[in-house]
Coordinates of all heavy atoms in Angstrom, one line a residue:
R99 N 0.8 -1.2 0.0 CA 0.0 0.0 0.0 C 0.9 1.3 0.0 O 0.5 2.3 -0.5 CB -0.9 0.0 1.2 CG -2.1 -0.9 1.2 CD -2.9 -0.7 2.6 NE -3.9 -1.7 2.7 CZ -5.2 -1.4 2.3 NH1 -5.5 -0.2 1.8 NH2 -6.1 -2.3 2.4
G100 N 2.0 1.1 0.7 CA 2.9 2.2 0.8 C 4.2 1.9 1.6 O 4.1 0.8 2.2
K101 N 5.2 2.7 1.4 CA 6.3 2.4 2.2 C 6.1 2.5 3.7 O 6.7 1.8 4.5 CB 7.4 3.4 1.9 CG 7.9 3.4 0.5 CD 8.8 2.1 0.2 CE 9.3 2.2 -1.2 NZ 10.1 1.0 -1.4
I102 N 5.1 3.3 4.1 CA 4.7 3.4 5.5 C 3.2 3.3 5.5 O 2.5 4.0 4.8 CB 5.1 4.8 6.2 CG1 6.6 4.8 6.2 CG2 4.6 4.9 7.6 CD1 7.1 6.3 6.6
V103 N 2.7 2.5 6.5 CA 1.2 2.3 6.6 C 0.9 2.5 8.1 O 1.4 1.8 8.9 CB 0.7 0.9 6.1 CG1 -0.8 0.8 6.4 CG2 0.9 0.7 4.6
I104 N 0.0 3.4 8.3 CA -0.4 3.7 9.7 C -1.8 3.2 9.9 O -2.7 3.4 9.1 CB -0.3 5.3 10.0 CG1 1.1 5.8 9.8 CG2 -0.8 5.5 11.4 CD1 1.2 7.4 9.9
Q105 N -2.0 2.5 10.9 CA -3.2 1.8 11.2 C -3.8 2.2 12.5 O -3.2 2.0 13.6 CB -3.1 0.3 11.1 CG -4.4 -0.5 11.3 CD -4.1 -2.0 11.3 OE1 -3.0 -2.5 11.2 NE2 -5.2 -2.8 11.3
G106 N -5.0 2.8 12.5 CA -5.7 3.0 13.8 C -6.8 2.0 14.0 O -7.4 1.5 13.0
A107 N -7.0 1.6 15.2 CA -8.0 0.5 15.5 C -9.5 0.9 15.3 O -10.3 0.0 15.2 CB -7.8 0.0 17.0
G108 N -9.8 2.2 15.2 CA -11.2 2.5 15.0 C -12.0 2.6 16.2 O -11.5 2.4 17.3
A109 N -13.3 2.7 16.1 CA -14.2 2.9 17.3 C -14.3 1.7 18.2 O -14.5 1.9 19.3 CB -15.6 3.3 16.7
D110 N -14.0 0.5 17.6 CA -14.1 -0.7 18.5 C -12.8 -0.9 19.2 O -12.7 -1.8 20.1 CB -14.5 -2.0 17.7 CG -13.5 -2.4 16.7 OD1 -12.4 -1.7 16.6 OD2 -13.8 -3.4 15.9
G111 N -11.8 -0.1 18.9 CA -10.5 -0.2 19.6 C -9.6 -1.4 19.3 O -8.6 -1.6 19.9
T112 N -10.1 -2.3 18.3 CA -9.3 -3.5 18.1 C -8.9 -3.5 16.6 O -9.7 -3.1 15.7 CB -10.4 -4.7 18.3 OG1 -10.9 -4.7 19.6 CG2 -9.5 -6.0 18.2
F113 N -7.7 -4.0 16.4 CA -7.2 -3.9 15.0 C -7.8 -5.1 14.3 O -7.7 -6.3 14.6 CB -5.6 -4.1 15.1 CG -4.9 -3.0 15.6 CD1 -4.4 -3.1 16.9 CD2 -5.0 -1.7 15.1 CE1 -3.7 -2.0 17.5 CE2 -4.4 -0.6 15.7 CZ -3.7 -0.7 16.9
L114 N -8.6 -4.8 13.1 CA -9.3 -5.8 12.4 C -9.9 -6.8 13.3 O -9.7 -8.0 13.4 CB -8.3 -6.6 11.5 CG -7.5 -5.7 10.5 CD1 -6.6 -6.6 9.6 CD2 -8.5 -5.0 9.5
G115 N -10.9 -6.3 14.1 CA -11.6 -7.0 15.1 C -12.4 -8.1 14.6 O -13.0 -8.0 13.6
K116 N -12.3 -9.3 15.3 CA -13.1 -10.5 14.9 C -14.6 -10.2 15.0 O -15.4 -10.8 14.3 CB -12.8 -11.7 15.8 CG -11.3 -12.1 15.6 CD -11.0 -13.3 16.6 CE -9.6 -13.7 16.4 NZ -9.3 -14.9 17.5
G117 N -14.9 -9.3 15.8 CA -16.4 -8.9 16.0 C -16.9 -7.9 15.0 O -18.1 -7.5 15.2
D118 N -16.1 -7.4 14.2 CA -16.5 -6.4 13.2 C -17.4 -7.1 12.1 O -16.8 -7.7 11.2 CB -15.3 -5.7 12.6 CG -15.7 -4.5 11.8 OD1 -16.7 -4.5 11.0 OD2 -14.9 -3.5 11.9
V119 N -18.7 -7.1 12.2 CA -19.6 -7.9 11.4 C -19.4 -7.4 9.9 O -19.3 -8.3 9.0 CB -21.0 -7.7 11.8 CG1 -21.9 -8.5 10.9 CG2 -21.2 -8.3 13.2
R120 N -19.3 -6.1 9.7 CA -19.2 -5.7 8.3 C -17.9 -6.1 7.7 O -17.8 -6.4 6.6 CB -19.3 -4.2 8.2 CG -19.3 -3.5 6.8 CD -19.7 -2.1 6.8 NE -19.6 -1.6 5.4 CZ -18.5 -0.9 5.0 NH1 -17.4 -0.8 5.8 NH2 -18.5 -0.4 3.8
G121 N -16.8 -5.9 8.4 CA -15.5 -6.3 7.9 C -15.4 -7.9 7.6 O -15.1 -8.3 6.6
R122 N -15.8 -8.7 8.7 CA -15.8 -10.2 8.4 C -16.7 -10.7 7.4 O -16.5 -11.7 6.8 CB -16.1 -10.8 9.8 CG -15.0 -10.8 10.9 CD -13.7 -11.5 10.4 NE -13.8 -12.9 10.1 CZ -13.5 -13.8 11.1 NH1 -13.0 -13.4 12.3 NH2 -13.4 -15.1 10.8
G123 N -17.8 -9.9 7.1 CA -18.7 -10.3 6.2 C -18.2 -10.3 4.7 O -18.9 -10.9 3.9
Q124 N -17.0 -9.8 4.5 CA -16.4 -9.6 3.2 C -15.6 -10.9 2.8 O -15.2 -11.1 1.6 CB -15.5 -8.4 3.2 CG -16.2 -7.1 3.3 CD -17.3 -6.8 2.3 OE1 -17.0 -6.9 1.1 NE2 -18.5 -6.5 2.8
F125 N -15.4 -11.8 3.7 CA -14.7 -13.0 3.5 C -15.0 -14.1 4.5 O -15.7 -13.9 5.5 CB -13.2 -12.7 3.5 CG -12.6 -12.3 4.9 CD1 -12.1 -13.3 5.7 CD2 -12.8 -11.1 5.4 CE1 -11.6 -13.0 7.0 CE2 -12.3 -10.7 6.7 CZ -11.7 -11.7 7.4
K126 N -14.6 -15.4 4.2 CA -14.8 -16.4 5.1 C -13.5 -17.0 5.5 O -12.4 -16.6 5.0 CB -15.6 -17.6 4.3 CG -17.0 -17.3 3.9 CD -17.7 -18.4 3.3 CE -19.0 -18.1 2.8 NZ -19.8 -19.2 2.2
G127 N -13.5 -17.8 6.5 CA -12.3 -18.4 7.0 C -11.6 -17.5 8.2 O -12.2 -16.4 8.6
D128 N -10.5 -17.9 8.6 CA -9.9 -17.1 9.7 C -9.0 -16.0 9.3 O -9.0 -14.9 10.0 CB -9.1 -18.1 10.7 CG -10.1 -19.1 11.3 OD1 -11.1 -18.7 11.7 OD2 -9.7 -20.4 11.4
G129 N -8.2 -16.1 8.3 CA -7.3 -15.0 7.9 C -7.9 -14.2 6.7 O -8.7 -14.7 5.9
M130 N -7.6 -12.9 6.7 CA -8.1 -12.0 5.7 C -7.1 -12.1 4.5 O -6.2 -11.2 4.4 CB -8.1 -10.6 6.3 CG -8.8 -9.6 5.3 SD -8.9 -7.9 5.9 CE -7.1 -7.4 5.8
K131 N -7.4 -13.0 3.7 CA -6.4 -13.3 2.6 C -6.5 -12.2 1.5 O -7.6 -11.6 1.2 CB -6.8 -14.5 1.9 CG -6.6 -15.7 2.8 CD -7.0 -17.1 2.1 CE -6.9 -18.2 3.2 NZ -7.3 -19.5 2.5
Y132 N -5.4 -11.8 0.9 CA -5.2 -10.8 0.0 C -6.2 -11.0 -1.3 O -6.9 -10.2 -1.9 CB -3.8 -10.7 -0.6 CG -3.6 -9.7 -1.7 CD1 -3.7 -8.3 -1.5 CD2 -3.4 -10.1 -3.0 CE1 -3.4 -7.4 -2.5 CE2 -3.2 -9.2 -4.0 CZ -3.2 -7.8 -3.8 OH -3.0 -7.0 -4.9

C-alpha cells in the first residue's frame, strides 16, 4: 500500500476485530487473505 502504513484501531479499539460484522462479512475463514 505504501512504504509506511499507519493503522488506527477505529471505534471498536481492536485492530481488524473479529467482532466487526461488516469487515468479516467480506470474506470467510480465519485469515483476511489478499
